[in-house]
């Protein structure tokens, strides 16, 4: 914006006591270098510094750790809905992941600021106007949504403009509130002793600097950058990402040519690095939550019990600090559905309708109530969600409703004891849809309940409204794509569930034990229940964790790259040896039903066409093809991969 036009806009704004100016892309103009490019350059410089001090960590690995720490911190912040991520916290976690000391934080921050100085230019037109206004007696403050502190911003502004441009600087990182949610404007008004209606704000961002500022009563002058700037920055970021993909760190021990000879070896060599990576991401998320809120981390039975086993082993082995309380949680979709049904939740009806399609109302009653019931004839009809609540809350079903209430009261006692006075409840589970979170959130609206899990996928085709509170740390995709290595787990999800689930029944019922509550799953407290008992894959993964050095985070991240490639190949193109390693026991359907699903069904003598037709019922189709068609698999498996590629492209277009 030209100086004279800016002056005219200011003169047109009557009754202004304070001028507020945005920093980045307003007072300091960014070049076309993307954020990714700045991080990569910074990590190259940091890698050189580390090498001089005796550490050998390649820039690509440093950049990945930084980007993961930042990505997960902002995701945790988005669930919270307010606050700001602080750069020192991000760098602290990056260093911890890689086994580097906190004493390096100052040096890395200095590099960050040096990179910023080479990626910014002064907005001299705006600076001249602000100096003139200050000389005329106006007070000018800088207000920025940023991970940098006010002191860091002061250093940058002074570098380009000197010390006579603003009277005060307000950073969202320091104030722990942002322009994005509007709270930072209110904080500035309070600190400056002016009303919001008497502040003139100048900035480039349409949401934070215009819509949010206007909504809070500020007078706004919008100074947008040219549209082509954003396209050039995206192109720059894409180029940097492509270069990074071509310069990955050397593969770790998973690149060995010899295939694992048994499930234990497969767990150690392939799954070990992957579950370690998963646990590192859990730690990143929990650390950000713990820095902002009074929260508790609950590992959901059954899969969460195994995850907890690995997680505690990883953070102890790598000396990762986490003060957040954590417990194993006796819960299941059935248990959560009871709580949701009692508040007449639509999500509970949708979940039950899917689980009990082609079943009767009586089947649902027996599952929810946990008993056998003599009910009127209409309860033997096929289940219908639209009339179920009316039938359940009718006097003729009072025995069923009473049993549901008794069981839910016991569950609520258990839940209340575990969470204590925490209002933010962080669930940890395997995945995929996040039904437990969805149901519990509807039953306990006063609590902030969110879930972090291995993968997130809407395989049910239900509402995704709760996905804002469900985070797939490693995979967030509704279907497998051959181009996305990690999404291969969606082709054989049974493997991930079986990896973490101990050989115990799903939680269906509770009993009062006086001071506490017990469940049919037995005692699953950490240190009491051994999730790896009889589970060679998990035992192998734990042995990998135990083999890591104290600074083994970098080793695990390197190994994970190769491990994901090995896992994808084993799932989508399994050899006879990998079939033996990955054939896991049958898994119960749960939700109060006794049915058991087999990952690979027993071979039966059938004509070829019949066997081909039956593949669509297999949980692991690639495994079934490899077993039933040892010769044809060389044609069938590539064909299946091509079909998934086409489906993936069609889904993206849709």
């Amino acid at each position: 914006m030209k100086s004279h036009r800016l002056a005219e806009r200011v003169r047109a704004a009557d009754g202004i006591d304070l001028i507020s100016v945005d920093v980045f892309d307003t007072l300091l103009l960014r070049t076309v270098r993307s954020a990714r490019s700045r991080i990569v350059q910074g990590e190259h410089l940091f890698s050189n510094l580390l090498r001089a001090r005796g550490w050998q960590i390649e820039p690509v690995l440093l950049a990945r750790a930084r980007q993961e720490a930042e990505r997960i911190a902002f995701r945790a912040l988005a669930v919270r809905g307010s606050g700001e991520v602080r750069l020192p916290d991000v760098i602290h976690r990056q260093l911890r992941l890689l086994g580097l000391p906190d004493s390096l934080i100052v040096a890395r921050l200095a590099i960050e600021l040096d990179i910023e100085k080479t990626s910014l230019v002064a907005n001299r037109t705006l600076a001249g106007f602000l100096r003139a206004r200050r000389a005329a007696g106006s007070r000018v403050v800088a207000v920025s949504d940023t991970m940098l502190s006010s002191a860091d911003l002061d250093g940058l502004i002074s570098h380009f403009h000197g010390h006579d441009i603003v009277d005060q600087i307000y950073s969202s990182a320091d104030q722990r509130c942002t322009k994005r949610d509007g709270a930072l404007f209110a904080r500035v008004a309070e600190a400056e002793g002016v009303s919001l209606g008497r502040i003139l704000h100048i900035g480039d961002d349409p949401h934070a600097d215009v819509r949010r500022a206007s909504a809070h009563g500020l007078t706004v002058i919008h100074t947008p950058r040219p549209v082509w700037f954003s396209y050039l920055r995206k192109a720059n970021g894409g180029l940097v990402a492509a270069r990074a993909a071509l310069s990955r760190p050397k593969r770790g021990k998973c690149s060995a040519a010899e295939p694992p000879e048994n499930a234990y070896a497969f767990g150690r060599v392939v799954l070990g690095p992957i579950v370690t990576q998963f646990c590192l991401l859990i730690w990143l998320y929990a650390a950000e939550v713990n820095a902002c809120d009074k929260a508790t981390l609950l590992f959901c039975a059954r899969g969460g019990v195994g995850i907890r086993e690995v997680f505690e082993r990883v953070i102890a082995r790598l000396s990762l600090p986490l003060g957040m309380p954590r417990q194993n949680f006796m819960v299941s979709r059935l248990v959560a559905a009871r709580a949701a049904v009692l508040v007449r939740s639509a999500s509970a009806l949708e979940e039950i309708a899917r689980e009990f399609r082609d079943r009767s109302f009586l089947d649902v009653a027996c599952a929810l109530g946990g008993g056998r019931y003599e009910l009127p004839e209409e309860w033997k009809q096929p289940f219908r969600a639209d009339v179920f609540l009316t039938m359940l809350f009718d006097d003729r079903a009072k025995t069923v409703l009473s049993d549901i209430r008794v069981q839910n009261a016991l569950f609520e006692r258990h839940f209340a004891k575990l969470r204590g006075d925490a209002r933010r409840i962080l669930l940890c589970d395997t995945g995929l849809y996040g039904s437990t979170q969805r149901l519990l959130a509807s039953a306990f609206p006063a609590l902030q309940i969110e879930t972090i899990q291995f993968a997130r996928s809407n395989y049910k085709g239900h509402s995704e409204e709760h996905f804002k509170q469900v985070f797939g740390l490693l995979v967030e995709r509704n279907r497998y794509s051959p181009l996305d290595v990690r999404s291969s787990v969606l082709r054989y999800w049974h493997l991930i569930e079986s990896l973490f689930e101990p050989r115990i029944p799903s939680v269906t019922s509770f009993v009062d034990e006086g001071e506490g509550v017990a469940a049919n799953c037995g005692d699953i407290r950490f240190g009491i229940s051994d999730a790896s008992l009889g589970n060679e894959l998990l035992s192998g993964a734990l042995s990998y964790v135990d083999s890591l050095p104290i600074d083994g985070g970098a080793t695990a991240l390197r190994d994970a790259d190769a491990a994901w490639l090995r896992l994808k190949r084993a799932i989508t193109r399994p050899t006879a040896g990998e079939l033996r390693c990955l054939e896991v026991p049958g898994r119960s359907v749960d939700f109060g039903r006794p049915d058991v699903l087999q990952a690979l069904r027993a071979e039966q003598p059938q004509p070829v066409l019949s066997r081909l037709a039956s593949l669509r019922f297999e949980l692991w189709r690639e495994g079934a093809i490899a077993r039933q068609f040892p010769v044809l698999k060389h044609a069938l498996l590539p064909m299946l991969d091509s079909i998934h590629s086409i489906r993936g492209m069609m889904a993206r277009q849709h």
Side-chain angles (χ1 to χ4, degrees):
M1 180 176 289
K2 299 293 185 183
S3 180
H4 69 276
R5 291 180 57 197
L6 185 59
E8 290 171 2
R9 294 282 300 276
V10 174
R11 282 195 294 270
D14 296 327
I16 296 302
D17 293 332
L18 180 72
I19 296 176
S20 164
V21 61
D22 174 47
V23 177
F24 295 108
D25 271 331
T26 303
L27 186 58
L28 300 176
L29 302 176
R30 289 204 179 277
T31 65
V32 296
R33 294 183 61 193
S34 64
R36 184 189 293 269
S37 174
R38 298 195 300 272
I39 289 175
V40 168
Q41 183 183 3
E43 301 306 346
H44 271 88
L45 294 174
F46 191 37
S47 180
N48 293 337
L49 182 148
L50 292 175
R51 189 178 302 109
R53 299 187 185 185
W55 288 284
Q56 297 289 331
I57 301 182
E58 50 271 51
V60 174
L61 191 58
L62 286 167
R64 282 182 55 204
R66 160 67 183 273
Q67 288 163 345
E68 287 284 40
E70 194 171 311
R71 174 182 74 96
I72 289 179
F74 275 105
R75 184 63 172 80
L77 179 71
V79 174
R80 187 174 192 264
S82 62
E84 183 63 281
V85 175
R86 298 175 64 251
L87 184 57
D89 293 340
V90 170
I91 294 176
H92 161 74
R93 293 168 200 150
Q94 173 200 25
L95 298 178
R96 285 286 189 166
L97 281 183
L98 301 174
L100 296 169
D102 289 348
S103 58
L104 292 166
I105 292 177
V106 174
R108 182 61 186 88
L109 277 171
I111 290 174
E112 190 83 8
L113 294 176
D114 287 341
I115 296 297
E116 287 285 17
K117 289 173 183 176
T118 65
S119 307
L120 297 166
V121 295
N123 186 341
R124 302 200 182 280
T125 299
L126 179 58
F129 166 76
L130 294 177
R131 284 193 179 93
R133 295 299 301 179
R134 287 189 75 216
S138 296
R139 183 167 171 83
V140 178
V141 298
V143 183
S144 180
D145 280 354
T146 177
M147 295 191 293
L148 297 173
S149 68
S150 296
D152 294 332
L153 291 179
D154 184 42
L156 291 175
I157 293 172
S158 299
H159 175 78
F160 288 98
H161 293 294
H163 297 279
D164 62 342
I165 195 75
V166 295
D167 296 290
Q168 187 61 267
I169 299 173
Y170 294 91
S171 158
S172 60
D174 286 349
Q175 301 296 326
R176 288 291 181 147
C177 57
T178 68
K179 294 184 296 178
R180 297 188 301 274
D181 58 26
L184 186 54
F185 293 119
R187 186 73 56 85
V188 170
E190 180 183 7
E192 294 291 328
V194 300
S195 67
L196 288 164
R198 298 183 71 83
I199 299 176
L200 170 67
H201 182 68
I202 304 170
D204 72 293
D205 187 271
H207 175 73
D209 294 317
V210 179
R211 288 190 290 271
R212 298 304 295 177
S214 298
H216 279 70
L218 281 72
T219 300
V220 174
I221 294 178
H222 189 204
T223 57
R225 301 299 306 278
V227 175
W228 53 267
F229 254 84
S230 63
Y231 293 114
L232 288 178
R233 282 180 189 161
K234 288 178 182 178
N236 178 261
L239 180 61
V240 172
R243 287 175 178 169
L246 295 174
S247 59
R248 290 184 183 275
K250 289 181 66 177
R251 293 181 186 176
K253 61 184 71 174
C254 287
S255 61
E258 287 297 320
E261 66 275 9
N262 53 45
Y264 179 89
F266 193 96
R268 180 182 175 93
V269 175
V270 180
L271 296 176
I274 291 172
V275 300
T276 302
Q277 180 186 31
F278 176 39
C279 291
L280 292 176
L281 300 183
I282 294 173
W283 176 77
L284 285 174
Y285 195 99
E288 176 63 29
V289 171
N290 195 51
C292 302
D293 294 300
K294 189 172 185 60
T296 189
L297 177 56
L298 302 182
F299 292 84
C300 299
R302 292 176 291 175
V305 177
I307 295 172
R308 174 90 185 275
E309 192 77 33
V310 187
F311 178 72
E312 296 291 352
R313 198 86 63 98
V314 168
I315 64 172
R317 188 72 182 175
L318 304 182
S319 300
L320 299 174
L322 183 63
M324 180 185 293
R326 41 199 188 270
Q327 301 285 346
N328 288 352
F329 187 23
M330 295 187 295
V331 72
S332 65
R333 290 177 301 148
L334 173 65
V335 169
R338 286 191 188 119
V341 161
L342 291 177
V343 298
R344 301 172 185 260
S345 166
S347 62
L349 295 177
E350 187 176 41
E351 194 74 24
I352 292 169
R354 183 183 186 277
E355 294 295 329
F356 287 87
R357 56 181 177 272
D358 302 326
R359 302 289 187 99
S360 68
F361 288 106
L362 183 58
D363 291 328
V364 175
C366 292
L368 292 175
R372 308 304 302 174
Y373 304 100
E374 294 292 334
L375 294 169
E377 192 65 26
E378 63 262 29
W379 280 83
K380 298 178 182 178
Q381 300 298 314
F383 178 83
R384 285 173 47 202
D386 58 333
V387 297
F388 176 66
L389 291 179
T390 302
M391 295 172 62
L392 179 63
F393 286 89
D394 186 270
D395 281 345
R396 291 176 295 176
K398 61 183 179 182
T399 303
V400 180
L401 187 59
S402 175
D403 286 348
I404 293 174
R405 284 173 169 157
V406 167
Q407 283 297 308
N408 188 61
L410 291 170
F411 166 68
E412 287 193 6
R413 275 179 56 192
H414 170 61
F415 190 20
K417 182 178 180 180
L418 293 190
R419 70 176 185 263
D421 59 351
R423 305 307 296 174
R424 188 169 181 180
I425 313 302
L426 183 55
L427 306 179
C428 186
D429 208 347
T430 51
L432 288 163
Y433 179 67
S435 298
T436 302
Q437 187 280 334
R438 187 186 186 207
L439 295 166
L440 289 179
S442 65
F444 300 92
L447 300 176
Q448 183 174 333
I449 302 175
E450 62 203 271
T451 297
I452 50 175
Q453 51 195 40
F454 193 95
R456 189 193 74 189
S457 176
N458 188 7
Y459 70 98
K460 297 182 178 184
H462 289 178
S463 167
E464 294 184 1
E465 185 177 356
H466 69 299
F467 273 18
K468 292 178 288 186
Q469 285 77 41
V470 177
F471 187 18
L473 292 171
L474 288 166
V475 180
E476 285 193 337
R477 184 180 283 273
N478 287 345
R479 61 175 66 244
Y480 160 69
S481 168
L483 300 179
D484 181 354
V485 174
R486 295 182 185 181
S487 71
S488 59
V489 296
L490 301 179
R491 296 300 309 146
Y492 188 19
W493 186 245
H494 203 65
L495 171 66
I496 302 302
E497 291 179 322
S498 296
L499 170 66
F500 291 117
E501 290 182 355
R503 306 298 186 252
I504 59 173
S506 177
V507 182
T508 57
S509 60
F510 297 92
V511 293
D512 188 347
E513 289 196 337
E515 293 185 0
V517 173
N520 66 295
C521 62
D523 192 344
I524 63 168
R525 287 176 298 168
F526 179 70
I528 302 295
S529 173
D530 184 0
S532 65
L533 191 64
N535 187 334
E536 291 297 296
L537 288 172
L538 184 58
S539 296
L542 289 169
S543 74
Y544 172 84
V545 175
D546 293 339
S547 72
L548 289 171
I550 192 170
D551 58 350
T555 301
L557 293 177
R558 290 188 192 99
D559 289 347
D561 281 342
W564 277 109
L565 295 173
R566 289 287 296 275
L567 181 61
K568 180 192 176 189
R569 190 192 68 191
I571 289 175
T572 60
R573 306 284 179 93
T575 64
E578 288 164 342
L579 278 175
R580 290 191 297 271
C581 291
L582 300 186
E583 185 172 3
V584 297
R587 183 176 183 274
S588 61
V589 174
D590 299 336
F591 223 99
R593 292 171 292 159
D595 313 55
V596 174
L597 295 174
Q598 298 293 337
L600 289 174
R601 294 185 295 176
E603 293 184 73
Q604 296 179 352
Q606 290 180 312
V608 172
L609 291 179
S610 298
R611 280 186 286 152
L612 284 171
S614 68
L615 289 175
R616 63 193 180 98
F617 300 109
E618 297 284 356
L619 292 180
W620 183 21
R621 291 182 187 175
E622 290 84 353
I625 289 172
R627 169 175 287 180
Q628 296 185 40
F629 304 96
V631 177
L632 284 178
K633 72 176 184 180
H634 301 293
L636 293 176
L637 291 176
M639 185 185 305
L640 185 60
D641 233 28
S642 299
I643 291 172
H644 288 304
S645 296
I646 295 170
R647 286 179 176 174
M649 288 188 291
M650 292 176 64
R652 283 195 297 272
Q653 290 175 354
H654 178 70

